[in-house]
Amino acid sequence: MGRVAGRPRAWPRSFADRLTTPLPGVRAFARLAREGAFRPGPDGLRGIPDLPYEPAPLPAATPGAVCVTWAGHASWVLRTGGLTVLTDPVWSRRILGTPARMTPVGVRWEELPPVDAVVISHNHYDHLDAPTLKRLPRDTALFVPAGLARWCRRRGFTRVTELDWWESAELGGVRFDFVPAHHWSRRSLLDTCRTLWGGWVLTDTATGRKVYFAGDTGYGHWFAEIGRRHPGIDLALLPIGAYAPRWWLRDVHTDPEEAVRACLDLGARRMAPMHWATFVLSAEPVMEPLHRARAAWARAGLPRQDLWDLPIGGSRTLGAPPPCPGAPAPARRGSGA
């Protein structure tokens, strides 16, 4: 369902009915505290110098192509349909309750092209970073989950579009579809599930190229449904980190094997891993997500070139699709056509 960008809307007081599984209770928190499995041990942290970090100038964005650059964690610089879009932008060195970044941001803020739009998956601090958003002009278009527009407008943003699952809005040459995720939301002790959570499918309306940004999610039935409703996804940006201990994080974070399975469920042609190598959020060794993702991809028999396991700061470009036989050539901007 299409929605008018920027129009204020009313929402239910809680989205707890959208949870895939109940949130952890007192017993689970007690077990976590007893086991002390919050962070990797010394052996797991020794891999920090090996984390892939290769910042480079952004490649040119050609008409009809899709260019993605991984800035770290769930932050991407995505150029498609003539727009530059940031996903869950976190340029801060530290987020609340978490040690400082293990790796710097892959793209210096000063080197970004003008940002046309931002998509936010949910309101957790490692995905909705107020200091980073404050760097943006207040007329930047923000696409956010249901219930989150008020938070953005209080900070001066004037073009905020909030969507429910399976709704969409358009900006320029891009359609923004908000899709479900297996996750939750909270920003304080008193607002659990008061705003929605999800992922985004960005479609270049001229070429049909589709990029799926999962945000933060566990594994489950939604991936197949997203693939059914949005066939032909060219690239899936999927989380592979912050999964241990498994009994604690299984419901809200995919592990590397589940991320590959999700890519297959989506019917996506390519996968780019994210949500690792940036912040220490869980107990797995810091290099393990990449090793396991590569092994799972190989076991699935998928082409190696379709796993875009970028270093932080790395970019890949998906060229414009060939024109259909007999189709007229697209008009160039400014030609008057």
Side-chain angles (χ1 to χ4, degrees):
M1 180 187 301
R3 292 288 179 178
V4 177
R7 178 176 294 176
R9 301 175 65 183
W11 299 105
R13 182 170 175 81
S14 173
F15 292 94
D17 60 327
R18 307 289 186 94
L19 290 169
T20 307
T21 57
L23 295 175
V26 174
R27 289 185 179 181
F29 279 99
R31 177 181 173 184
L32 186 68
R34 184 171 62 251
E35 295 180 358
F38 298 102
R39 299 286 183 266
D43 288 343
L45 293 173
R46 287 196 184 101
I48 289 177
D50 300 321
L51 292 171
Y53 176 72
E54 299 176 18
L58 297 178
T62 57
V66 175
C67 182
V68 295
T69 302
W70 189 30
H73 200 50
S75 303
W76 294 84
V77 183
L78 172 60
R79 288 175 293 163
T80 183
L83 301 184
T84 296
V85 181
L86 301 184
T87 69
D88 287 0
V90 179
W91 260 250
S92 297
R93 181 173 177 269
R94 184 185 296 272
I95 56 175
L96 184 67
T98 301
R101 303 175 77 106
M102 296 183 290
T103 46
V105 183
V107 183
R108 293 181 58 203
W109 189 263
E110 297 76 16
E111 295 174 356
L112 286 172
V115 175
D116 299 293
V118 171
V119 297
I120 299 295
S121 64
H122 66 299
N123 71 354
H124 287 161
Y125 281 85
D126 59 322
H127 293 259
L128 178 62
D129 184 52
T132 298
L133 292 183
K134 286 180 181 178
R135 297 186 179 196
L136 292 165
R138 295 306 186 267
D139 61 351
T140 303
L142 305 186
F143 293 86
V144 303
L148 198 53
R150 182 181 177 187
W151 185 95
C152 299
R153 292 190 179 110
R154 285 203 308 263
R155 284 151 182 83
F157 288 95
T158 58
R159 299 172 62 200
V160 186
T161 301
E162 53 184 349
L163 298 178
D164 201 345
W165 290 349
W166 308 123
E167 292 182 344
S168 66
E170 292 194 15
L171 177 69
V174 178
R175 188 176 74 242
F176 296 77
D177 286 89
F178 190 51
V179 296
H182 299 273
H183 206 62
W184 64 300
S185 70
R186 186 172 72 186
R187 203 160 174 88
S188 72
L189 294 176
L190 302 176
D191 67 350
T192 301
C193 296
R194 294 284 181 86
T195 64
L196 196 51
W197 52 91
W200 295 90
V201 178
L202 276 62
T203 304
D204 181 332
T205 57
T207 66
R209 289 285 199 203
K210 298 178 184 178
V211 177
Y212 166 64
F213 168 66
D216 211 349
T217 181
Y219 179 76
H221 68 286
W222 285 127
F223 294 109
E225 180 66 12
I226 293 166
R228 187 183 71 80
R229 297 196 188 205
H230 296 279
I233 293 172
D234 293 284
L235 174 64
L237 311 176
L238 285 161
I240 65 169
Y243 52 78
R246 207 73 199 107
W247 66 266
W248 173 253
L249 293 169
R250 180 186 307 277
D251 295 330
V252 294
H253 289 161
T254 52
D255 64 22
E257 293 78 13
E258 289 169 336
V260 173
R261 195 184 318 160
C263 185
L264 294 171
D265 291 350
L266 290 160
R269 299 184 176 100
R270 300 161 190 85
M271 168 180 156
M274 64 173 184
H275 205 269
W276 78 284
T278 309
F279 297 107
V280 177
L281 300 175
S282 53
E284 74 271 4
V286 296
M287 280 297 295
E288 182 180 277
L290 179 62
H291 298 153
R292 285 176 55 174
R294 287 173 172 172
W297 192 264
R299 283 196 302 271
L302 299 170
R304 180 63 181 86
Q305 66 270 19
D306 291 341
L307 178 63
W308 288 12
D309 47 348
L310 299 176
I312 293 175
S315 303
R316 289 287 291 272
T317 299
L318 187 61
C324 296
R332 291 180 297 177
R333 292 186 180 182
S335 65

